[in-house]
PDB file of all heavy atoms in Angstrom:
ATOM      1  N   PRO A  23      11.555 -39.388 -10.431  1.00 81.00           N
ATOM      2  CA  PRO A  23      10.718 -38.895 -11.515  1.00 81.00           C
ATOM      3  C   PRO A  23      11.117 -37.489 -11.957  1.00 81.00           C
ATOM      4  O   PRO A  23      10.672 -37.009 -12.991  1.00 81.00           O
ATOM      5  CB  PRO A  23       9.320 -38.883 -10.893  1.00 81.00           C
ATOM      6  CG  PRO A  23       9.557 -38.719  -9.428  1.00 81.00           C
ATOM      7  CD  PRO A  23      10.879 -39.344  -9.123  1.00 81.00           C
ATOM      8  N   ASN A  42       3.454 -48.942  -3.226  1.00 86.00           N
ATOM      9  CA  ASN A  42       2.980 -47.608  -2.829  1.00 86.00           C
ATOM     10  C   ASN A  42       3.384 -47.183  -1.417  1.00 86.00           C
ATOM     11  O   ASN A  42       2.899 -46.178  -0.917  1.00 86.00           O
ATOM     12  CB  ASN A  42       1.463 -47.466  -2.980  1.00 86.00           C
ATOM     13  CG  ASN A  42       1.061 -47.487  -4.442  1.00 86.00           C
ATOM     14  OD1 ASN A  42       1.879 -47.156  -5.312  1.00 86.00           O
ATOM     15  ND2 ASN A  42      -0.152 -47.897  -4.719  1.00 86.00           N
ATOM     16  N   MET A  53       9.789 -28.051  -2.926  1.00 78.00           N
ATOM     17  CA  MET A  53       8.624 -28.834  -2.552  1.00 78.00           C
ATOM     18  C   MET A  53       9.078 -30.250  -2.231  1.00 78.00           C
ATOM     19  O   MET A  53       9.904 -30.819  -2.940  1.00 78.00           O
ATOM     20  CB  MET A  53       7.647 -28.856  -3.722  1.00 78.00           C
ATOM     21  CG  MET A  53       6.334 -29.452  -3.373  1.00 78.00           C
ATOM     22  SD  MET A  53       5.195 -29.171  -4.732  1.00 78.00           S
ATOM     23  CE  MET A  53       4.649 -30.838  -4.915  1.00 78.00           C
ATOM     24  N   LYS A  56       7.376 -37.236  -2.442  1.00 88.00           N
ATOM     25  CA  LYS A  56       7.622 -38.598  -1.969  1.00 88.00           C
ATOM     26  C   LYS A  56       7.866 -39.537  -3.147  1.00 88.00           C
ATOM     27  O   LYS A  56       7.236 -39.408  -4.189  1.00 88.00           O
ATOM     28  CB  LYS A  56       6.396 -39.113  -1.198  1.00 88.00           C
ATOM     29  CG  LYS A  56       6.045 -38.280   0.016  1.00 88.00           C
ATOM     30  CD  LYS A  56       6.928 -38.627   1.174  1.00 88.00           C
ATOM     31  CE  LYS A  56       6.552 -37.792   2.405  1.00 88.00           C
ATOM     32  NZ  LYS A  56       7.638 -37.765   3.386  1.00 88.00           N
ATOM     33  N   TYR A  58       7.586 -43.515  -4.139  1.00 89.00           N
ATOM     34  CA  TYR A  58       6.872 -44.686  -3.626  1.00 89.00           C
ATOM     35  C   TYR A  58       7.442 -45.967  -4.216  1.00 89.00           C
ATOM     36  O   TYR A  58       7.985 -45.971  -5.325  1.00 89.00           O
ATOM     37  CB  TYR A  58       5.384 -44.589  -3.974  1.00 89.00           C
ATOM     38  CG  TYR A  58       4.727 -43.358  -3.394  1.00 89.00           C
ATOM     39  CD1 TYR A  58       4.699 -42.165  -4.114  1.00 89.00           C
ATOM     40  CD2 TYR A  58       4.157 -43.395  -2.133  1.00 89.00           C
ATOM     41  CE1 TYR A  58       4.106 -41.027  -3.588  1.00 89.00           C
ATOM     42  CE2 TYR A  58       3.564 -42.265  -1.593  1.00 89.00           C
ATOM     43  CZ  TYR A  58       3.536 -41.083  -2.319  1.00 89.00           C
ATOM     44  OH  TYR A  58       2.956 -39.966  -1.787  1.00 89.00           O
ATOM     45  N   ASN A  79      15.545 -39.941 -13.534  1.00 81.00           N
ATOM     46  CA  ASN A  79      15.874 -41.350 -13.786  1.00 81.00           C
ATOM     47  C   ASN A  79      17.106 -41.875 -13.074  1.00 81.00           C
ATOM     48  O   ASN A  79      17.551 -42.974 -13.355  1.00 81.00           O
ATOM     49  CB  ASN A  79      16.027 -41.624 -15.294  1.00 81.00           C
ATOM     50  CG  ASN A  79      14.667 -41.675 -15.952  1.00 81.00           C
ATOM     51  OD1 ASN A  79      13.667 -41.876 -15.269  1.00 81.00           O
ATOM     52  ND2 ASN A  79      14.623 -41.485 -17.261  1.00 81.00           N
TER      53      ASN A  79
ATOM     54  N   GLN B 223       7.784 -39.200 -19.200  1.00 76.00           N
ATOM     55  CA  GLN B 223       8.905 -38.389 -18.747  1.00 76.00           C
ATOM     56  C   GLN B 223       9.348 -37.387 -19.811  1.00 76.00           C
ATOM     57  O   GLN B 223       9.341 -37.674 -20.999  1.00 76.00           O
ATOM     58  CB  GLN B 223      10.073 -39.317 -18.446  1.00 76.00           C
ATOM     59  CG  GLN B 223      10.928 -38.774 -17.364  1.00 76.00           C
ATOM     60  CD  GLN B 223      10.831 -39.665 -16.149  1.00 76.00           C
ATOM     61  OE1 GLN B 223      11.469 -40.706 -16.099  1.00 76.00           O
ATOM     62  NE2 GLN B 223      10.036 -39.284 -15.184  1.00 76.00           N
ATOM     63  N   ARG B 356       3.139 -26.250  -8.231  1.00 90.00           N
ATOM     64  CA  ARG B 356       3.106 -27.108  -7.044  1.00 90.00           C
ATOM     65  C   ARG B 356       1.688 -27.550  -6.727  1.00 90.00           C
ATOM     66  O   ARG B 356       1.441 -28.710  -6.399  1.00 90.00           O
ATOM     67  CB  ARG B 356       3.632 -26.342  -5.834  1.00 90.00           C
ATOM     68  CG  ARG B 356       5.111 -26.175  -5.837  1.00 90.00           C
ATOM     69  CD  ARG B 356       5.510 -25.549  -4.528  1.00 90.00           C
ATOM     70  NE  ARG B 356       6.702 -24.746  -4.734  1.00 90.00           N
ATOM     71  CZ  ARG B 356       7.039 -23.718  -3.974  1.00 90.00           C
ATOM     72  NH1 ARG B 356       6.262 -23.351  -2.987  1.00 90.00           N
ATOM     73  NH2 ARG B 356       8.142 -23.067  -4.211  1.00 90.00           N
ATOM     74  N   HIS B 359       0.672 -30.177  -9.076  1.00 93.00           N
ATOM     75  CA  HIS B 359       1.338 -31.436  -8.746  1.00 93.00           C
ATOM     76  C   HIS B 359       0.597 -32.156  -7.623  1.00 93.00           C
ATOM     77  O   HIS B 359       0.333 -33.352  -7.687  1.00 93.00           O
ATOM     78  CB  HIS B 359       2.781 -31.170  -8.324  1.00 93.00           C
ATOM     79  CG  HIS B 359       3.486 -32.388  -7.824  1.00 93.00           C
ATOM     80  ND1 HIS B 359       4.134 -33.262  -8.668  1.00 93.00           N
ATOM     81  CD2 HIS B 359       3.599 -32.909  -6.579  1.00 93.00           C
ATOM     82  CE1 HIS B 359       4.627 -34.261  -7.948  1.00 93.00           C
ATOM     83  NE2 HIS B 359       4.317 -34.064  -6.674  1.00 93.00           N
ATOM     84  N   PRO B 367      -0.718 -41.211  -6.332  1.00 85.00           N
ATOM     85  CA  PRO B 367       0.501 -40.742  -5.665  1.00 85.00           C
ATOM     86  C   PRO B 367       1.742 -40.853  -6.546  1.00 85.00           C
ATOM     87  O   PRO B 367       2.716 -40.160  -6.335  1.00 85.00           O
ATOM     88  CB  PRO B 367       0.616 -41.642  -4.440  1.00 85.00           C
ATOM     89  CG  PRO B 367      -0.647 -42.396  -4.324  1.00 85.00           C
ATOM     90  CD  PRO B 367      -1.391 -42.280  -5.616  1.00 85.00           C
ATOM     91  N   GLN B 368       1.683 -41.766  -7.527  1.00 84.00           N
ATOM     92  CA  GLN B 368       2.890 -41.943  -8.336  1.00 84.00           C
ATOM     93  C   GLN B 368       2.841 -41.123  -9.618  1.00 84.00           C
ATOM     94  O   GLN B 368       3.537 -41.422 -10.584  1.00 84.00           O
ATOM     95  CB  GLN B 368       3.089 -43.425  -8.646  1.00 84.00           C
ATOM     96  CG  GLN B 368       3.224 -44.199  -7.354  1.00 84.00           C
ATOM     97  CD  GLN B 368       3.977 -45.486  -7.508  1.00 84.00           C
ATOM     98  OE1 GLN B 368       4.840 -45.585  -8.376  1.00 84.00           O
ATOM     99  NE2 GLN B 368       3.671 -46.458  -6.696  1.00 84.00           N
ATOM    100  N   TYR B 370       3.790 -37.727 -11.104  1.00 90.00           N
ATOM    101  CA  TYR B 370       4.611 -36.572 -10.770  1.00 90.00           C
ATOM    102  C   TYR B 370       4.431 -35.484 -11.829  1.00 90.00           C
ATOM    103  O   TYR B 370       5.081 -35.491 -12.864  1.00 90.00           O
ATOM    104  CB  TYR B 370       6.078 -36.976 -10.655  1.00 90.00           C
ATOM    105  CG  TYR B 370       6.300 -37.993  -9.574  1.00 90.00           C
ATOM    106  CD1 TYR B 370       6.326 -39.350  -9.851  1.00 90.00           C
ATOM    107  CD2 TYR B 370       6.478 -37.585  -8.247  1.00 90.00           C
ATOM    108  CE1 TYR B 370       6.518 -40.291  -8.850  1.00 90.00           C
ATOM    109  CE2 TYR B 370       6.666 -38.516  -7.237  1.00 90.00           C
ATOM    110  CZ  TYR B 370       6.692 -39.869  -7.550  1.00 90.00           C
ATOM    111  OH  TYR B 370       6.868 -40.792  -6.554  1.00 90.00           O
TER     112      TYR B 370
END
Side-chain angles (χ1 to χ4, degrees):
Chain A
N42 292 336
M53 189 171 129
K56 300 280 181 199
Y58 300 90
N79 284 340
Chain B
Q223 211 113 80
R356 285 186 210 155
H359 174 87
Q368 300 205 29
Y370 299 95

